[in-house]
Amino acid sequence: MKKPIIFSVLIILAGGLMWGIDYLSSVPPLNKTALGGIVQEPKVVRDFKAFCDTMRDSKWEPEAFQERIDRLNVYKQQKIVNASEFLNLEEYMYSAYANSIENTYTDWKLSCNVPALKDIHAELKRISTFNSACNSKLQAPLKEVASFYALLNMPNKVEKIIRGEFNAASYNKIVSEVQSLPNHFNSCSNVNSAKRDANNALNKFKNFNVNYSDALKAYQIDPNFSYTLNDFQTLCNEAKQEGYTYYITKLKESNVCN
């Protein structure tokens, strides 16, 4: 009687062992639990993140980014990652790519090559629209680029102001714009003096207008007073030197500017 019982027990144990082996083999090996009860990310996820990290620490390379996009799309198509993993990896990949563009922009600030900024700026704007995380990450460089272009354009804006008639509202507005210009492009020879030069030009224009107004009042009282005529001639020379077109015309109309 004992042998049949022992044999039956052995069969049951063997069956249980085979079921256990079959069950364990059916569990995806990528979803194992690490020590301490913390769920470990699948190896394919960890490997792809490491692949993105190499891009995060590098300079901007569109080809490298496209390589990662293509690989992630293959993972999705072949169901190597599920929908949730795909979205998380996509966000991680874009974040790393945003970092690489920012790295290139940081290097660009050492040379401030204006033509080279066009493509960097376009990509900064494009990637900033991917999600709120990219937008937040790239807001600082985008604001800096905008301020750089404002610096580049400031000489033209100042010239437009000083060629016309002095207007307190317009003057105060552009002075406020100049004051808001950044100082973090000091290494850029093409714009590092733009803010200072704009301030100097605007202050000089304002002082000129005060002197012109005083001389005009004196001239209206006595057009033949020699000191007034001398003042007008000095203002005429300054207007020509600084490019005050409106005042050159006005002085010539009064026959006090040759």
Side-chain angles (χ1 to χ4, degrees), residues 32-182:
K32 295 179 180 178
T33 301
L35 294 175
I38 300 174
V39 177
Q40 191 177 37
E41 288 181 323
K43 185 176 185 302
V44 67
V45 171
R46 298 197 310 273
D47 288 349
F48 188 79
K49 284 186 174 182
F51 189 37
C52 290
D53 288 340
T54 61
M55 180 173 61
R56 184 186 304 277
D57 299 328
S58 303
K59 300 300 187 302
W60 172 42
E61 292 184 35
E63 297 81 5
F65 181 48
Q66 188 60 49
E67 184 182 358
R68 286 153 180 80
I69 291 176
D70 293 343
R71 181 177 298 190
L72 186 58
N73 284 333
V74 169
Y75 287 170
K76 181 182 180 182
Q77 292 163 4
Q78 297 186 3
K79 301 187 185 304
I80 296 173
V81 296
N82 58 39
S84 176
E85 289 168 342
F86 173 82
L87 291 175
N88 289 336
L89 287 177
E90 184 181 48
E91 183 173 341
Y92 193 90
M93 175 180 66
Y94 269 85
S95 175
Y97 182 55
N99 262 84
S100 73
I101 307 170
E102 192 172 11
N103 293 340
T104 295
Y105 168 70
T106 299
D107 274 6
W108 173 88
K109 287 196 291 184
L110 299 176
S111 65
C112 301
N113 183 300
V114 177
L117 181 59
K118 181 180 178 182
D119 290 341
I120 299 172
H121 187 210
E123 195 68 350
L124 284 169
K125 288 194 294 185
R126 186 178 78 86
I127 299 303
S128 71
T129 64
F130 176 72
N131 60 20
S132 59
C134 286
N135 183 270
S136 177
K137 182 189 293 288
L138 298 179
Q139 274 307 300
L142 280 170
K143 286 180 179 178
E144 285 190 9
V145 172
S147 65
F148 178 79
Y149 282 127
L151 276 167
L152 280 182
N153 192 46
M154 188 52 65
N156 293 331
K157 297 186 74 171
V158 169
E159 184 177 359
K160 184 178 179 180
I161 288 286
I162 66 177
R163 283 181 178 276
E165 182 180 10
F166 181 87
N167 177 277
S170 299
Y171 175 83
N172 291 334
K173 181 176 182 295
I174 195 169
V175 166
S176 178
E177 290 180 24
V178 171
Q179 294 303 320
S180 67
L181 291 174

